[in-house]
């Protein structure tokens, strides 16, 4: 699989969010209950997505000790790792790899609170000083 095929799709991201946000190793039923009803994700589709995520190396699972039909899922990659790769892919795909053009486009078209602007300024300052945040 190439790099893009290893990244979660938009629907798979819903599953990953539910796993990342859980306390422990949720079952498929627990994951489905955490997903927004507006996503219209049924149990069969969820099982297919869980299988894809495991095949991509993004999720792992353990079989329940008391019931071998129940799997408990856990992330193999952090949210930050996946965000970093999705961001890089987004920039490569839509901005021809030009990070400054991507950031400029996002900054010009988004609304920010004063607190968010301060955080962005701190990130830029840190990067200018040679740090990576």
């Amino acid at each position: 699989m190439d790099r893009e095929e290893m990244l979660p799709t938009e629907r798979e991201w819903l599953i990953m969010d539910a796993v990342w946000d859980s306390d422990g190793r949720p079952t498929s039923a627990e994951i489905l209950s955490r997903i927004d009803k507006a996503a219209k994700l049924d149990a069969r589709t969820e099982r297919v997505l869980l299988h894809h995520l495991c095949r991509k190396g993004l999720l792992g699972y353990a079989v329940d000790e008391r019931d071998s039909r129940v799997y408990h899922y856990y992330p193999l990659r952090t949210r930050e790792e996946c965000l970093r790769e999705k961001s890089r892919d987004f920039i490569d795909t839509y901005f021809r790899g030009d990070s400054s053009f991507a950031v400029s486009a996002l900054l010009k078209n988004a609304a920010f609170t004063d607190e968010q602007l301060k955080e962005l300024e701190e990130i830029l300052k840190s990067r200018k000083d040679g740090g990576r945040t």
Side-chain angles (χ1 to χ4, degrees), residues 37-49:
K37 300 301 178 209
K40 296 180 183 169
L41 198 64
D42 61 40
R44 185 169 188 263
T45 303
E46 180 203 28
R47 283 192 301 275
V48 169
L49 295 175

Side-chain angles (χ1 to χ4, degrees), residues 10 12-13 15 23 27-28 54 58 66 68 70 73 100 102 106 109 115 122 128:
E10 190 174 329
E12 290 169 347
W13 197 274
I15 303 275
D23 297 329
T27 64
S28 60
C54 289
L58 298 169
R66 294 178 299 272
S68 62
V70 177
Y73 294 91
S100 64
L106 292 170
N109 294 298
E115 185 176 315
E122 289 172 10
K128 187 176 180 179

Side-chain angles (χ1 to χ4, degrees), residues 3 7 9 21 43 51 60-61 68-70 75 85 101 120 126 130:
R3 184 181 77 142
L7 298 173
T9 65
D21 292 342
H51 173 75
Y61 64 88
S68 62
R69 297 170 297 170
V70 177
E85 288 186 40
F101 183 49
L120 289 170
S126 170

Side-chain angles (χ1 to χ4, degrees), residues 82-95:
C82 289
L83 279 171
R84 194 169 28 258
E85 288 186 40
K86 284 292 263 186
S87 298
R88 180 79 261 157
D89 185 63
F90 179 77
I91 291 168
D92 289 345
T93 301
Y94 296 102
F95 297 94

Side-chain angles (χ1 to χ4, degrees), residues 54-72:
C54 289
R55 189 176 49 107
K56 290 178 176 184
L58 298 169
L59 280 183
Y61 64 88
V63 179
D64 190 275
E65 295 173 1
R66 294 178 299 272
D67 186 347
S68 62
R69 297 170 297 170
V70 177
Y71 293 8
H72 296 271

